[in-house]
Amino acid sequence: MSLVDRLFDNTESFFAWISLILKQSHASYCDLETADSKHTLVAKNASLISIIKIDGFRRFVGKAEFERLCQQFVDSIQSSFVSDGHFIQFYFNYNPESVASHIDSALQAAEETAERMGLNISDIFSSKRKVLGDVCSHEDCFLVIWTEPSALPAKHIKLAFKEKANKINAAKIPKARYAANMFLGLSELRNLHDSLISTVIEDLQQIGFYIKLLDVHTGVREARKSIDYEFTSPKWEPSLPGDTLPIRLSEDKT
């Protein structure tokens, strides 16, 4: 019976691989696998990923200064990405439809103050919402920084994966073929990635950018918002390794 089960599993895995290659499954469009640390995600190929959000610049920038800042930005990160295994993605989002919630958030403090003072000026806030909603839009800019296993020597990669597999087998951790691989991240790669992120953040701050290194929960939420904004609640958070498990009372079956 075990031979039949093994044959069935191999056949199923083959068709699953074909489906992945042909992009027939929704999972084939997601490269993320799990979380490695507070600010680092892991891709299916063991690459480490961190997301930096750019919130703006410290002062108003003219055309000439903008070109100078672009060149300064390129010069600052160029040395960090000379070696193999590191690359960067830019993601920019422009969404005029989502600006309403941001306007509500910006006006919330003023509305609460007016209410405490007994001022009935709700018509003013309504008018401001309408005017701002017609001329404003919400924008996001993210830098997604990757460190691939190719940043390490080929022999080192094979040895690192072999040692990790031996540790998993020694701990007798059950295999879960269709679950996230929580042990995919490599400690050797983590040191290179953390050093790169620290360097990029320091360079961007010295230039004058307002930036924020996103934690993994915020990063995954922003990724989901970029795909399906309307069905992503501001309170939604992914369940990732290391999260506290919710405590629930057992159901009374009597």
Side-chain angles (χ1 to χ4, degrees), residues 48-64:
L48 300 182
I49 307 167
S50 292
I51 303 174
I52 298 175
K53 183 178 182 180
I54 299 180
D55 287 322
F57 200 71
R58 294 178 182 175
R59 60 184 182 273
F60 289 106
V61 178
K63 181 178 180 181

Side-chain angles (χ1 to χ4, degrees), residues 245-251:
L245 296 177
I247 300 176
R248 298 175 181 172
L249 297 176
S250 60
E251 296 182 359

Side-chain angles (χ1 to χ4, degrees), residues 45-46 148-169 181 183-192:
N45 65 345
E148 294 185 318
S150 58
L152 299 172
K155 293 182 179 180
H156 199 111
I157 297 174
K158 294 181 180 179
L159 181 61
F161 277 118
K162 184 176 180 180
E163 291 179 351
K164 184 177 290 291
N166 292 335
K167 291 180 180 179
I168 294 175
N169 293 331
N181 185 355
F183 309 101
L184 193 58
L186 300 176
S187 58
E188 297 84 353
L189 198 65
R190 189 179 302 120
N191 296 330
L192 293 175

Side-chain angles (χ1 to χ4, degrees), residues 54-148:
I54 299 180
D55 287 322
F57 200 71
R58 294 178 182 175
R59 60 184 182 273
F60 289 106
V61 178
K63 181 178 180 181
E65 188 177 9
F66 177 77
E67 295 177 354
R68 181 181 62 81
L69 287 175
C70 289
Q71 186 60 46
Q72 190 176 355
F73 172 77
V74 172
D75 294 339
S76 66
I77 67 172
Q78 191 170 13
S79 59
S80 301
F81 293 89
V82 170
S83 58
D84 294 335
H86 302 296
F87 70 90
I88 187 171
Q89 290 177 312
F90 291 85
Y91 172 75
F92 180 79
N93 175 45
Y94 171 83
N95 190 351
E97 297 178 357
S98 66
V99 73
S101 60
H102 296 278
I103 295 176
D104 291 340
S105 179
L107 295 178
Q108 182 178 359
E111 287 181 313
E112 292 176 352
T113 302
E115 184 178 356
R116 286 195 300 267
M117 297 177 62
L119 299 176
N120 185 13
I121 53 175
S122 58
D123 57 328
I124 296 179
F125 292 115
S126 298
S127 177
K128 183 170 291 188
R129 280 188 174 87
K130 184 179 184 307
V131 172
L132 293 177
D134 292 338
V135 298
C136 295
S137 63
H138 179 68
E139 298 178 350
D140 287 315
C141 184
F142 300 95
L143 303 182
V144 185
I145 301 177
W146 293 62
T147 301
E148 294 185 318

Side-chain angles (χ1 to χ4, degrees), residues 28-39:
S28 63
Y29 291 90
C30 181
D31 293 327
L32 299 180
E33 180 70 16
T34 185
D36 185 70
S37 64
K38 182 179 180 181
H39 300 101

